[in-house]
């Protein structure tokens, strides 16, 4: 794991955790640990780019690979909070040596 720096407040990460659990975890796994069928988001190169993350999650840039766009359901701030939550999870697991 080589996540980007953590820059969000605990409140933003908590909001992202809630949103991830409600919308993302069913496909991307509990704690953002992918189960092999879909990408393990803790390893995503998109984590370091707000624009790329928004293009994928909000706009559906990877819809042909099965990742729908969530822009009708989630705000840009909610989507970015999810990004910060995944960054936080990657740092937690990196500290554990995973």
């Amino acid at each position: 794991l080589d996540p980007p720096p953590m820059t969000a407040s605990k409140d933003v990460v908590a909001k992202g955790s809630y949103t991830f659990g409600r919308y993302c975890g069913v496909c991307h796994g509990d704690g953002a640990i992918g189960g092999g069928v879909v990408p393990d988001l803790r390893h995503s190169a998109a984590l370091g780019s707000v624009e790329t993350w928004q293009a994928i999650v909000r706009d559906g840039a990877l819809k042909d690979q099965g990742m729908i766009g969530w822009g009708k359901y989630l705000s840009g701030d909610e989507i970015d909070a999810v990004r910060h939550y995944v960054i936080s999870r990657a740092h937690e697991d990196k500290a554990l040596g995973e």
Side-chain angles (χ1 to χ4, degrees):
L1 290 170
D2 188 25
M6 290 179 41
T7 59
S9 69
K10 289 182 180 185
D11 289 341
V12 169
V13 172
K15 180 180 179 181
S17 173
Y18 171 79
T19 304
F20 184 93
R22 184 161 184 205
Y23 296 97
C24 313
V26 68
C27 292
H28 289 284
D30 187 38
I33 300 171
V37 176
V38 295
D40 186 325
L41 297 179
R42 298 169 306 151
H43 294 275
S44 175
L47 287 176
S49 170
V50 174
E51 296 81 12
T52 302
W53 188 267
Q54 290 287 335
I56 293 168
V57 181
R58 181 189 63 213
D59 303 331
L62 297 178
K63 68 180 177 214
D64 292 341
Q65 288 84 8
M67 176 60 192
I68 67 163
W70 288 89
K72 293 191 297 189
Y73 311 102
L74 299 171
S75 71
D77 287 343
E78 289 172 310
I79 291 167
D80 199 47
V82 169
R83 183 177 72 88
H84 285 292
Y85 164 68
V86 176
I87 290 169
S88 172
R89 286 290 301 117
H91 278 277
E92 289 171 0
D93 290 344
K94 182 178 181 178
L96 295 172
E98 293 188 20

